[in-house]
Every structure is written in C-alpha cells, then in structure tokens.
Amino acid sequence: MQEKIKEILTKAKQRILDADSMQLINEIRVRFLGKNGEITALLKSLKDAPADQRPKLGKLINDLRGEVETILIEHEKNIAEREKQKKLKEERIDITLSKNNRKIGALHPLNKVIRDICYIFIGLGFEVKDGPEVELDYYNFEGLNIPADHPARDEQDTFYINDNILLRTQTSAVQVRTMEEQKPPIRIVCPGKVYRPDDDASHSPMFHQIEGLVVDENITLCDLQGLLDAFAQEFFSSVTKTRLRPSFFPFTEPSVEVDLSCVMCGGKGCSLCKGTGWIELLGAGVVNPRVLEYSGIDSKKYSGLAFGLGVERAAMIKYGIPDIRLFFENDIRFLKQYR
Ligand code: DAH
C-alpha cells in the first residue's frame, strides 16, 4: 500500500502541474479526492490492511490527501491568475485618442488679412461698417457721382439683376449709405465682397475690398497720405513708404493712385515691382464735394478722404502669392501656409 501511496502522489503532482485550465484542475480534484476518487478508494481499502498497520497507513493516506489538496490549491491560484491576465489582455480597450489625428482649422488667409487690416484702422479710431452685396444702382453709382451715361460705368462692368438692382462693384457704396445715416465726424472702414465680370490670374468675378472714409472739418490730402503711411507701415513693414500719383475717380477730387515702395526689394527694382521700385496698392482721394452734398453733408463745412483697397491684392503683395485663383480653390496645402 505504501508503494501505491507514493505512486498516487507522483501521478497527482504530474497531472496537476500539467493542467492549464480550471476545468482540468476540477477534473483532477474529482479524480483523486472525489467520492469515487483514487485517494478516497485507498482510505476505503484500509479496512483490508492488517490491523497493526492501519494507524500508520491511515496517517500516510491523510498526509497524501493533504499534500494533493495543497498542491491543487496552489496551482489553482496560478491558473486563475493566468486566466485573468489573458482575459484582461483579450478584452483590452484602447481608450487613448491620438492627438495627431485631429486637424485644427484656421482662418482663410483673406479673412485673416481683412481682420488684420480692420484691427489697424480700429486702432486709429475707425469703426467697421457693413453694407449689402445686392445693392441699388443709386448707392453703387449715382450717389458716387457716376450717372447712368458716365464712362466710368464701362470701366467697372457690372452684374445687373434688373435696371435698378445690381451686385455691388465696389465697397464705395457703403460710403453713401453711411453718410446718409450718420453725420460727421465719420471714420469708417467697410470690408466686403464685390463683383465684376472679370476672370484671369489677377482678377476674380468675386473679390474683396476694404473701403475707408473719413469726413470731418479740415480734412486734406495730407491726412490721407499720413493715414495710409501709418497703415502701410503697420501692415507691410516699418520701412514701407507710399507715393501718390494723380488719377481719376468720379467720387474724389483730387484722386490719387497710391503706390508702395516694393516690399520685396525695398525700392531698388526687382521682378515683383517690374524694376520700378513701386507697387500699385489702391485708389484714393479727397471726397468730391458733390458726393458729400448728395448725402446731405455741408461741403462748405466738411471735407473728407476716401480710399478703396483690394484685399486679394494686398494679400498677394504681402505674401508673394502669384495667382488670385489660389484663394478660391480651397487647396488645403495652400491655405495651411497662412495659419
Ligand atoms: N472704388 C474704387 C474701385 O473699386 C476704389 C476707390 C478709389 C475707392 C478711390 C475710393 C476712392 O474710396 O476714393 O476701383
């Protein structure tokens, strides 16, 4: 019987160590310690052993039982832990979210330029004004001293909705609306979309302008140049200079074309300024007294200055952008550069 006990112990140890699941451990427990198990059977067979050996054998069998029980419990713990780890690994949920997958948007370069320019004028005491894009002929033309037969109408081909209503060709229309509503002193900038039937590398049928208007007592051409110098030095660079050239607009008298010293070569002459050292930036002038009078402002007491800046043009000069269409193609690779 002692042989048998040793044999069972060896067998049970081997089986337990080989077991790799709780199910096998349970089967082993039944097989050795269950009601019909091998160790239980040994105990039952004690009655057939010689009486003097029974206590000793009984103790051996009980020790065997205890040892098998201990090893089972020990190994059971290992397997339970292993199964838990396996389950945790299999059911793992990735709760992290890579921050690199989130694309962060930005203002369109034109909106950024409009904001930058408006902030500069706000800093100079200006107010930002808005006006309709679908406009009456009166505000876009008549009120600006451009009557129906005026040749200036040909220079700004127009999208008409009917004889009286059009898509505004210039933000100058907001000047007239403002002067009708507001009495001097007036200091406004008006950013917005304007429309003309042109389409090539430097013209788009829809583009943006920023109109400026100052009406007060004793406003002169000197104020205009001082104002535009301050703006150009803030927006382009602190060494930028401006130059006025005589021009013509029906709503200003005198009228000027304002040039910038070239932002690329500083005035020496390069491909951007076509060797002249200057770049044409905007149209401006002293408000024609007739325009003041049309809107009910006394032109003997008040005078004004006005300017109209192309936003795309200003952005193209500042950032060296070669083609106006780039602004409207929505190519992320282009737009991303101006974040
Ligand atoms: N409205 C003109 C244009 O679109 C630009 C302009 C010129 C505006 C002179 C002005 C100005 O206010 O005084 O070409």
Side-chain angles (χ1 to χ4, degrees), residues 90-133:
E90 282 169 2
E91 293 177 3
R92 188 188 153 101
I93 297 169
D94 184 0
I95 55 160
T96 59
L97 186 62
S98 167
K99 71 176 186 341
N100 298 332
N101 293 341
R102 301 184 79 194
K103 301 254 186 315
I104 296 184
L107 279 183
H108 187 280
L110 288 177
N111 283 328
K112 181 172 169 355
V113 165
I114 288 173
R115 283 199 191 184
D116 290 350
I117 294 176
C118 286
Y119 281 138
I120 293 171
F121 283 100
I122 289 168
L124 293 166
F126 282 64
E127 211 185 311
V128 178
K129 272 266 177 180
D130 203 6
E133 290 169 30

Side-chain angles (χ1 to χ4, degrees), residues 156 169-172 175 196 207 209 211-212 249 251-252 256 282-286 305-309:
Q156 295 187 5
T169 61
Q170 47 187 353
T171 45
S172 307
Q175 286 189 26
R196 293 179 201 179
F207 61 104
Q209 290 187 330
E211 193 76 12
F249 299 102
F251 34 91
T252 44
V256 293
L282 54 81
V286 172
L305 61 83
F307 59 89
L309 169 77

